[in-house]
Amino acid sequence: MSDALNGSHNGGGGPARSAAAAAVAPGWVVAPSRRARDRRRTASFAAGIAVVAVAVAPPLEAAAGRRLSVHMTQHLLLVLLAAPLLARARPG
């Protein structure tokens, strides 16, 4: 391996190592901590469950039996809000 690639000249570094560090460093700076990700997932899960609870709550459910527009609003709440929030909360 050449000295430029393995960084053995001048005590370390080398252009290849510097370029690799420059490419990876923004991910370390920008990547959220595990705790922050866990908080966001927990908040997304709680919000998703809250939207489901609102969509199937007795007042809305009773109104949905009388009006199609309210029933369709339930669908929109579940599909456009609850589903993405619950998907965002998935582990892994």
Side-chain angles (χ1 to χ4, degrees):
M1 186 180 273
S2 75
D3 288 340
L5 291 177
N6 68 16
S8 64
H9 73 293
N10 295 334
R17 191 173 295 169
S18 297
V24 174
W28 287 331
V29 174
V30 176
S33 69
R34 182 176 173 85
R35 179 177 283 161
R37 277 188 307 231
D38 289 345
R39 274 188 255 140
R40 278 196 296 264
R41 284 182 180 155
T42 301
S44 292
F45 181 76
I49 294 298
V51 170
V52 170
V54 167
V56 298
L60 201 56
E61 188 64 35
R66 293 187 303 270
R67 298 194 51 117
L68 178 63
S69 61
V70 177
H71 176 74
M72 295 313 294
T73 300
Q74 285 179 306
H75 282 281
L76 292 174
L77 286 170
L78 294 170
V79 172
L80 297 178
L81 291 177
L85 286 168
L86 293 171
R88 183 177 179 204
R90 78 193 184 294

